[in-house]
Amino acid sequence: MIIILKLTNISKSFDKKHMVINDLSITINEGIHCIIGKNGAGKTTLLNIVSSIMFPDVGDILVDEKSIYTHNNLRSHIFYVPIEPFFYERLSAKDNLLLICSLFEKDININDLEKVFEQVNLEKEVLNNPVHTFSSGMKQKLNFASMLLVKPYIILLDEPFNALDYETQEKFSLLLKEMKSQKRIIIFTSHISNTISTLADNLLVLKNGNITHQENIDKILDLNKWIKTMMSEEKS
């Protein structure tokens, strides 16, 4: 299945004076895409809109030419891994994962849970532990576990390697690249050049409420210099 994601004329403001997202339109195909931008540029707001956590003031989001607002079932193709993981803290890791999978109509069993725990470097012994006992890194691993169980076609990640050790970052990079090979659209934000160079196929620059530049990373000779140039350009 080949998925195409389109954002058409998306705008979002939180007050009348400042448009966080301003008439943004873009088509995103399969692959791994990194959104870069200064703090406050609207990266998280944009991911919130695509994931339907937040709705735009105007505009539409299309999956294979169908609006996710009139075809609600299409939202189940989109999975968001936020920078701050949200779980029901008093529920066990297992119950949180079962709940998430039920929302996406995914039927899983204990073997699936144990397998995915091994994939994300979590001990299966903590499956029945309440999430409030988990460290920040463990919660982020649980975030990835839920993503792997749901198997979405469109994956959104906000600073995906936040709170993770280097070994886990390497493992998750491989997992994301494997998902890319399965014809997924993966969109992530990051300010870390090593993460960007390791993961991204394409870079999208979010500035002044819009995507001002798009570039294939293989065409960039000096990534740090390119990012610095993109971030320093003045609004035309």
Side-chain angles (χ1 to χ4, degrees):
M1 182 175 184
I2 297 176
I3 293 285
I4 298 174
L5 175 68
K6 287 186 179 181
L7 281 61
T8 60
N9 306 113
I10 298 291
S11 291
K12 181 68 180 179
S13 66
F14 297 105
D15 58 61
K16 294 181 180 179
K17 296 181 180 179
H18 178 54
M19 297 292 292
V20 180
I21 306 296
N22 189 9
D23 197 31
L24 187 154
S25 295
I26 188 172
T27 298
I28 302 177
N29 299 303
E30 65 185 62
I32 303 181
H33 311 266
C34 179
I35 301 173
I36 64 171
K38 291 183 177 180
N39 290 338
K43 300 184 297 296
T44 297
T45 297
L46 184 58
L47 294 185
N48 283 338
I49 290 171
V50 177
S51 66
S52 294
I53 289 176
M54 184 182 294
F55 290 91
D57 298 330
V58 296
D60 203 355
I61 296 173
L62 308 176
V63 173
D64 286 349
E65 304 298 337
K66 297 178 181 178
S67 170
I68 66 171
Y69 301 126
T70 55
H71 297 78
N72 291 333
N73 62 303
L74 293 174
R75 298 185 196 181
S76 64
H77 291 321
I78 304 171
F79 193 90
Y80 183 29
V81 179
I83 190 170
E84 293 290 341
F86 173 80
F87 296 103
Y88 289 100
E89 296 280 325
R90 294 188 178 277
L91 291 183
S92 68
K94 179 181 76 174
D95 287 342
N96 268 285
L97 292 178
L98 289 173
L99 176 59
I100 291 168
C101 287
S102 69
L103 293 174
F104 284 85
E105 300 182 344
K106 298 292 182 179
D107 187 21
I108 60 170
N109 56 42
I110 189 64
N111 290 330
D112 297 322
L113 293 174
E114 290 182 352
K115 179 180 178 181
V116 82
F117 259 47
E118 182 178 351
Q119 286 180 281
V120 300
N121 286 351
L122 281 173
E123 299 294 332
K124 64 181 180 180
E125 286 76 17
V126 303
L127 260 171
N128 292 308
N129 292 359
V131 171
H132 72 79
T133 65
F134 282 30
S135 66
S136 296
M138 291 172 70
K139 289 178 182 177
Q140 189 69 335
K141 291 177 182 180
L142 198 61
N143 244 347
F144 269 76
S146 59
M147 177 193 72
L148 292 171
L149 288 167
V150 169
K151 298 178 182 176
Y153 287 104
I154 300 171
I155 301 164
L156 312 173
L157 308 107
D158 199 358
E159 298 286 352
F161 296 158
N162 188 46
L164 295 178
D165 59 80
Y166 179 76
E167 180 183 347
T168 305
Q169 290 182 31
E170 290 284 295
K171 187 162 190 174
F172 283 9
S173 291
L174 293 175
L175 287 172
L176 290 170
K177 288 178 180 178
E178 181 179 343
M179 296 189 82
K180 182 191 80 167
S181 70
Q182 299 166 356
K183 308 299 183 183
R184 266 47 175 185
I185 294 174
I186 300 171
I187 304 169
F188 75 100
T189 70
S190 183
H191 64 280
I192 302 172
S193 58
N194 185 57
T195 300
I196 296 170
S197 62
T198 299
L199 269 182
D201 300 317
N202 302 294
L203 298 185
L204 311 175
V205 180
L206 181 60
K207 194 171 184 181
N208 302 320
N210 218 311
I211 300 296
T212 59
H213 295 83
Q214 300 182 55
E215 189 60 86
N216 186 297
I217 199 167
D218 290 337
K219 296 180 180 179
I220 300 173
L221 298 178
D222 187 328
L223 180 61
N224 287 322
K225 183 178 179 181
W226 189 88
I227 292 174
K228 185 177 180 180
T229 300
M230 293 298 106
M231 295 299 96
S232 63
E233 286 182 354
E234 295 297 328
K235 181 178 179 180
S236 59

